[in-house]
């Protein structure tokens, strides 16, 4: 049986294996020699960081299915949970080996550019002196070293922290320990940059990794002991990141989330990664002490772990080895100088970051904070920047007497601690906080302000596909719609009413809101395209998503394909739909674009008989977005903006440089053809430059 027919036998691709295919596309960017050299290193970091989060969340979930004694085939797309854990581990071992090979080749290329990443054995006398001084001044005060050889209870290792497992063979004269083999753990400090720049020598630049710098100084750390030999190998443990929220009614939700985040650091282990050159005796000692079992993913790796740190590899002043920095563009007709609200009162505007400036969102809120006619601001917050101008503008508005209401999602995965800090700060400054709806995450991105104009209330809104975060807006592509459409403003208010009185389910004529309406609304839009095809009217579906994993939604798309409706899908990450299968999905094409920026917008285009219905959305087609989160899909009514959104979709669809074809074979082949080269992210910048002319 061929590979193709074997895949086609299943209706869906497994979600976890599909995600690993997405991460393989990230790794392709690290391998691509047309990508600037330092950027390639950073893609190694992104690949590794993605993998860490995958194990904390998805692998941990599958492990819980196994431990509960369940098969899981129905929810996992036809594979058992036990088989899936094995396949994940095998795939990850292969990907890690590939990433190590790519890393080695990048380092060879760096040497051609006179950039050397050296280890502790390659230091010149001057560099050695610098390293010892650096260790004493910067590293030693931050170092946590635990003598584990004779501890009765093994210490709890921190989630995703890197440790050097030290083995000392004691000399005959040693009387400190009973055993002649002793062990210690050194935690690699996270607050010190992983890459330490050494003094240059001529035109050569040198770096040493912090772990190697510590290896050089083992004699300094363990100087009080009498040993014959000493070795250090890196290990890392990844823990289950599921939040365990207690039911103590006496605690506030803020308190419960805070405690739960603290407990996460001691969750069950799900992955153990170690230097494959570690001696067998040390490895067995560690695994026994840590309680690593057969359902954990045990991965032999290279000398260095936590390769996510390559995301912050220093620029070294080498602009020639980085992507060219391009200034975000203005929105035609919308100035950052005058009143943004006056302009939005006249017409809708679309912002597409990072091609255009996120400053428009900040400007909107800062103007609202100062404008005496603005009486209230309501906004949802999912992830904020580390130093957030958004939070600052909201606090400023509250100090100016505005009625400011913020729905802040305290369970935004891995950003809980930051959001707790902002929540406490805003609360202390008079901002009203809403902590969501029991059992539902609030993932929508919306803001509405109310302004008194001629004794009447006017509403100004913005709705986005991405977070209100200045940092991610520089690297995530996202749409934001600014509008003074009063019907949309009123319906955003209804969403906020639902947050506060959530036993009342609101009705909407314009917005599509999860968890009550999105699934059926999208079904109806798909069904309409099927009817249009049967009636000989223009039909077609174009979707841009981060993930497509809901089996029922996939079934609906299969039904449209079988009816003859042409479907184009741009899916960055997980895609459980299998395209191009005769009799099932032959009218569906799927591509994925992975490039300089992270593709993040959700865009739905339904041909609708020649009068396209277009929505921007915070929701992917995943069960959680459709049924278990508060999401907003917003219709676009402005004809110019509809045309702009179709243009941006088509530019992305026609990418033949960075687009990969998602096929039955799951092989991540680049789309190549004889047409002029279109690299969509670069082409989109040019598109918006042309609009300014």
């Amino acid at each position: 049986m061929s590979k193709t027919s074997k895949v086609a036998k299943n209706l869906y691709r497994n979600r976890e294996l599909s995600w690993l295919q997405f991460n393989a596309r990230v790794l392709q960017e690290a391998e691509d020699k047309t990508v600037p050299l330092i950027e390639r290193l950073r893609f190694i970091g992104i690949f590794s960081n993605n993998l860490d989060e995958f194990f904390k969340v998805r692998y941990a979930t599958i492990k819980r299915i196994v431990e509960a004694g369940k098969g899981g085939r129905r929810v996992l797309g036809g594979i058992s949970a036990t088989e899936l854990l094995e396949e994940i581990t095998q795939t990850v071992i292969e990907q890690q080996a590939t990433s190590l090979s790519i890393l080695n080749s990048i380092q060879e290329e760096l040497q051609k550019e006179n950039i050397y990443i050296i280890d502790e054995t390659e230091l010149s006398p001057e560099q050695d002196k610098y390293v010892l001084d650096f260790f004493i001044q910067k590293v030693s005060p931050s170092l946590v070293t635990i003598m584990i050889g004779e501890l009765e209870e093994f210490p709890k290792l921190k989630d995703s922290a890197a440790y050097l497992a030290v083995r000392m063979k004691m000399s005959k004269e040693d009387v400190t320990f009973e055993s002649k083999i002793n062990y210690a753990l050194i935690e690699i400090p996270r607050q010190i940059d992983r890459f330490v720049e050494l003094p240059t020598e001529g035109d050569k630049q040198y770096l040493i990794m912090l772990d190697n710098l510590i290896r050089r100084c083992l004699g300094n750390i363990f100087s009080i002991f009498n040993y014959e030999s000493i070795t250090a190998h890196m290990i890392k443990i990844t823990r289950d990141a599921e939040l365990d929220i207690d039911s103590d009614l006496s605690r506030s939700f803020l308190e419960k989330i805070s405690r739960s985040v603290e407990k996460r650091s001691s969750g069950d282990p799900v992955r153990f990664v170690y230097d494959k050159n570690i001696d067998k005796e040390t490895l067995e000692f560690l695994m026994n002490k840590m309680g690593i079992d057969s359902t954990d993913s045990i991965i032999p790796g290279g000398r260095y772990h936590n390769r996510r740190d390559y995301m912050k590899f220093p620029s070294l002043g080498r602009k020639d080895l980085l992507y060219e920095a391009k200034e975000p563009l203005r929105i035609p007709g919308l100035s950052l100088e005058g009143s943004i609200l006056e302009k939005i009162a006249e017409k809708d505007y679309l912002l597409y970051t990072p091609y255009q400036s996120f400053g428009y969102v900040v400007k909107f809120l800062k103007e609202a904070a100062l404008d005496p006619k603005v009486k209230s601001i309501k906004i949802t917050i999912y992830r904020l920047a580390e130093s957030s101008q958004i939070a600052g503008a909201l606090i400023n508005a509250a100090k100016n007497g505005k009625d400011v209401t913020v729905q802040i999602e305290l369970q935004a995965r891995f950003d809980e601690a930051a959001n707790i800090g902002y929540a406490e700060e805003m609360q202390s400054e008079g901002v009203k906080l809403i902590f969501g709806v029991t059992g539902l995450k609030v993932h929508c991105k919306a803001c509405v302000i109310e302004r008194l104009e001629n004794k009447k209330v006017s509403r100004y809104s913005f709705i986005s596909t991405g977070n209100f975060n200045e940092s991610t807006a520089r690297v995530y592509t996202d749409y934001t719609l600014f509008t003074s459409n009063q019907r949309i403003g009123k319906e955003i208010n209804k969403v906020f009413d639902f947050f506060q009185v959530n036993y009342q389910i609101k009705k909407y004529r314009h917005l599509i809101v999860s968890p009550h309406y999105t699934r059926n609304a999208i079904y109806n839009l798909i069904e309409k395209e099927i009817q249009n095809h049967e009636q000989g009217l223009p039909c077609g579906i174009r979707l841009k998503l981060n993930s497509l994993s809901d089996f029922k939604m996939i079934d609906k798309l299969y039904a449209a394909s079988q009816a003859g409706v042409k479907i184009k899908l741009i899916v960055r990450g997980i895609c459980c739909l299998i395209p191009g299968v005769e009799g099932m999905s032959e009218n569906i094409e799927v591509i994925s674009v992975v490039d300089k920026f992270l593709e993040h917008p959700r865009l739905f285009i339904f041909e609708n008989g020649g009068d396209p219905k277009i929505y921007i959305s915070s929701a992917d087609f995943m069960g959680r977005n459709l049924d278990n989160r508060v999401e907003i899909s917003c219709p676009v009514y402005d004809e110019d903006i509809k045309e702009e959104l179709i243009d941006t979709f088509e530019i992305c669809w026609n990418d033949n440089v960075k687009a990969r074809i998602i096929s039955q074979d799951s092989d991540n082949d680049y789309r190549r053809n004889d047409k002029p080269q279109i690299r969509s992210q670069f082409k989109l910048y040019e598109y918006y430059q042309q609009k300014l002319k």
Side-chain angles (χ1 to χ4, degrees):
M1 183 179 282
S2 72
K3 188 177 180 183
T4 300
S5 58
K6 186 178 178 183
V7 174
K9 235 175 107 176
N10 294 327
L11 290 174
Y12 320 107
R13 182 164 287 118
N14 171 264
R15 168 181 163 157
E16 283 68 36
L17 298 180
S18 177
W19 184 91
L20 288 172
Q21 283 300 309
F22 155 66
N23 213 29
R25 296 194 282 279
V26 174
L27 201 52
Q28 284 179 325
E29 288 300 291
E31 194 171 22
D32 186 344
K33 291 188 177 180
T34 67
V35 173
L37 208 47
I38 291 177
E39 304 287 0
R40 289 173 64 191
L41 271 182
R42 291 174 180 173
F43 274 110
I44 290 277
I46 295 166
F47 165 82
S48 186
N49 187 63
N50 288 348
L51 208 51
D52 281 351
E53 292 191 5
F54 173 80
F55 273 92
K56 290 177 191 180
V57 181
R58 293 308 307 166
Y59 189 94
T61 301
I62 309 304
K63 184 181 171 185
R64 283 197 295 274
I65 293 172
V66 172
E67 289 172 345
K70 296 177 181 177
R73 285 184 187 275
R74 187 179 61 82
V75 294
L76 298 176
I79 188 172
S80 77
T82 304
E83 290 170 333
L84 182 55
L85 290 185
E86 290 172 3
E87 191 160 348
I88 288 170
T89 298
Q90 190 53 45
T91 302
V92 170
I93 288 172
E94 290 169 10
Q95 288 186 352
Q96 291 281 43
T98 302
S99 75
L100 191 57
S101 171
I102 294 169
L103 184 58
N104 289 338
S105 70
I106 293 172
Q107 288 180 341
E108 287 174 12
E109 292 291 317
L110 283 171
Q111 288 181 12
K112 294 175 186 174
E113 296 290 340
N114 279 331
I115 297 169
Y116 295 83
I117 303 172
I118 60 176
D119 66 28
E120 71 280 12
T121 67
E122 300 171 288
L123 296 165
S124 69
E126 294 78 14
Q127 291 169 338
D128 195 54
K129 182 180 183 303
Y130 181 88
V131 160
L132 289 169
D133 288 345
F134 188 91
F135 177 80
I136 292 164
Q137 299 295 327
K138 301 279 180 69
V139 182
S140 185
S142 304
L143 220 53
V144 175
T145 305
I146 309 164
M147 302 302 300
I148 57 174
E150 296 184 352
L151 284 181
E152 287 184 22
E153 190 174 338
F154 195 80
K156 272 281 186 189
L157 301 192
K158 291 180 184 175
D159 172 54
S160 292
Y163 293 85
L164 287 175
V166 178
R167 181 180 189 267
M168 288 184 285
K169 184 179 180 184
M170 313 312 294
S171 68
K172 292 175 183 176
E173 294 78 27
D174 177 74
V175 292
T176 312
F177 301 107
E178 288 181 26
S179 173
K180 287 300 170 191
I181 302 293
N182 228 295
Y183 301 99
L185 285 176
I186 302 172
E187 184 181 338
I188 308 291
R190 295 191 193 193
Q191 64 271 37
I192 301 172
D193 289 341
R194 184 80 179 277
F195 296 94
V196 179
E197 293 184 49
L198 300 173
T200 58
E201 294 185 358
D203 56 358
K204 293 181 178 178
Q205 294 174 284
Y206 292 91
L207 301 103
I208 187 169
M209 292 182 78
L210 184 57
D211 2 336
N212 286 334
L213 188 146
I214 293 170
R215 282 187 173 101
R216 166 63 187 87
C217 301
L218 289 176
N220 183 299
I221 299 167
F222 298 103
S223 59
I224 63 170
F225 301 126
N226 206 339
Y227 54 83
E228 282 180 13
S229 63
I230 187 167
T231 57
H233 295 85
M234 194 174 280
I235 63 166
K236 180 175 83 168
I237 198 163
T238 306
R239 297 187 180 278
D240 186 341
E242 189 64 31
L243 292 183
D244 182 18
I245 302 168
D246 66 48
S247 56
D248 185 347
L249 297 177
S250 68
R251 298 190 207 283
S252 72
F253 191 57
L254 197 62
E255 233 184 315
K256 289 178 186 178
I257 294 289
S258 297
R259 283 175 169 252
S260 191
V261 170
E262 285 170 21
K263 285 183 191 172
R264 176 186 276 163
S265 61
S266 58
D268 290 339
V270 290
R271 177 177 60 155
F272 176 60
V273 186
Y274 63 90
D275 181 342
K276 63 179 179 292
N277 293 319
I278 196 169
D279 59 280
K280 190 178 177 185
E281 189 181 341
T282 305
L283 183 61
E284 287 175 358
F285 171 84
L286 292 167
M287 288 178 64
N288 288 337
K289 289 285 188 181
M290 286 189 283
I292 303 292
D293 63 37
S294 60
T295 59
D296 299 315
S297 188
I298 301 166
I299 298 174
R303 194 177 201 224
Y304 311 102
H305 308 319
N306 273 9
R307 288 203 284 269
R308 64 166 182 257
D309 293 332
Y310 281 98
M311 289 168 71
K312 295 181 180 177
F313 190 84
S315 298
L316 302 172
R318 293 294 302 269
K319 288 184 180 179
D320 57 317
L321 302 182
L322 299 166
Y323 278 124
E324 181 188 351
K326 289 185 183 276
E327 280 297 309
L329 301 167
R330 291 180 295 107
I331 297 174
L334 196 59
S335 172
L336 283 167
E337 300 297 323
S339 168
I340 196 169
L341 297 181
E342 279 182 15
K343 287 289 189 180
I344 295 168
E346 295 168 7
K347 71 180 292 293
D348 292 356
Y349 288 91
L350 183 74
L351 163 67
Y352 197 2
T353 56
Y355 311 110
Q356 295 168 313
S357 173
F358 184 77
Y360 289 101
V361 174
V362 176
K363 164 75 173 167
F364 182 105
L365 290 172
K366 285 189 171 180
E367 183 177 332
L370 297 180
D371 186 343
K373 291 183 179 179
V374 171
K375 301 305 176 188
S376 72
I377 302 173
K378 295 174 184 172
I379 189 169
T380 61
I381 285 174
Y382 195 72
R383 299 186 199 277
L384 286 171
E386 195 174 329
S387 178
S388 174
Q389 294 181 58
I390 300 293
L394 295 169
I395 289 168
N396 191 11
K399 287 182 172 179
N400 280 330
K402 318 294 182 195
D403 184 2
V404 182
T405 302
V406 174
Q407 148 57 47
I408 187 163
E409 181 49 70
L410 295 183
Q411 296 182 75
R413 181 92 64 181
F414 306 121
D415 272 356
E416 298 94 344
N419 283 5
I420 288 163
Y422 275 120
E424 290 170 340
E425 183 184 356
M426 286 191 281
Q427 206 166 39
S428 69
E429 297 285 2
V431 173
K432 294 175 187 171
L433 294 184
I434 304 173
F435 295 124
V437 182
T438 305
L440 299 174
K441 268 191 185 181
V442 177
H443 188 249
C444 57
K445 284 83 179 181
C447 174
V448 59
I449 69 168
E450 292 186 329
R451 190 172 188 266
L452 207 58
E453 297 175 355
N454 301 321
K455 297 183 181 178
K456 285 178 64 180
V457 171
S458 290
R459 295 172 187 85
Y460 296 80
S461 314
F462 58 84
I463 293 182
S464 186
T465 65
N467 299 306
F468 304 136
N469 182 319
E470 303 93 301
S471 299
T472 58
R474 290 195 287 269
V475 288
Y476 285 31
T477 67
D478 273 303
Y479 299 115
T480 301
L481 178 72
F482 295 98
T483 183
S484 60
N485 185 310
Q486 297 305 297
R487 300 166 299 177
I488 287 174
K490 281 181 183 176
E491 293 198 352
I492 296 173
N493 266 338
K494 282 187 181 183
V495 176
F496 278 87
D497 291 342
F498 170 68
F499 293 150
Q500 294 178 300
V501 187
N502 43 69
Y503 54 81
Q504 290 182 2
I505 298 173
K506 305 291 179 181
K507 291 187 176 176
Y508 306 89
R509 293 188 60 194
H510 303 278
L511 301 181
I512 300 174
V513 181
S514 292
H516 303 113
Y517 299 108
T518 304
R519 183 180 289 281
N520 284 337
I522 300 297
Y523 285 176
N524 291 338
L525 287 163
I526 295 171
E527 191 60 43
K528 182 66 176 172
E529 296 308 308
I530 294 172
Q531 292 170 11
N532 286 340
H533 183 267
E534 289 169 350
Q535 294 167 18
L537 296 171
C539 66
I541 299 169
R542 287 173 278 184
L543 305 174
K544 189 169 188 181
L545 302 162
N546 293 329
S547 297
L548 170 56
S549 65
D550 185 82
F551 293 166
K552 290 180 181 176
M553 191 62 76
I554 291 169
D555 288 344
K556 202 71 186 170
L557 291 168
Y558 285 161
S561 169
Q562 288 157 28
V565 178
K566 297 290 184 186
I567 301 171
K568 295 177 179 177
L569 303 177
I570 303 172
V571 184
R572 185 195 80 218
I574 298 163
C575 184
C576 296
L577 179 148
I578 304 172
V581 179
E582 193 176 342
M584 181 173 87
S585 58
E586 67 263 43
N587 286 308
I588 304 177
E589 292 179 82
V590 189
I591 63 166
S592 174
V593 174
V594 178
D595 198 355
K596 175 182 178 180
F597 303 127
L598 183 86
E599 294 285 337
H600 196 251
R602 292 86 166 184
L603 173 64
F604 313 152
I605 304 170
F606 296 91
E607 195 57 37
N608 191 42
D611 180 20
K613 285 192 172 182
I614 300 180
Y615 296 82
I616 62 169
S617 181
S618 61
D620 286 307
F621 286 179
M622 304 177 79
R624 69 187 189 191
N625 303 101
L626 301 171
D627 304 322
N628 299 307
R629 289 185 172 187
V630 180
E631 307 274 11
I632 294 176
S633 300
C634 178
V636 176
Y637 294 136
D638 182 282
E639 291 301 323
D640 291 339
I641 294 177
K642 285 169 78 168
E643 187 180 331
E644 183 180 333
L645 287 166
I646 291 170
D647 286 348
T648 61
F649 182 94
E650 288 301 315
I651 288 169
C652 199
W653 181 258
N654 290 321
D655 192 311
N656 55 9
V657 177
K658 288 294 184 178
R660 281 73 156 182
I661 299 167
I662 305 301
S663 67
Q664 296 177 41
D665 294 335
S666 261
D667 45 20
N668 280 337
D669 280 349
Y670 285 91
R671 177 202 264 164
R672 298 284 187 253
N673 53 40
D674 297 332
K675 296 176 183 176
Q677 281 201 346
I678 294 177
R679 187 170 177 177
S680 57
Q681 291 187 352
F682 290 17
K683 193 75 175 175
L684 281 163
Y685 190 82
E686 292 171 14
Y687 171 84
Y688 282 108
Q689 277 182 316
Q690 283 299 119
K691 277 190 170 290
L692 288 171
K693 292 175 184 176

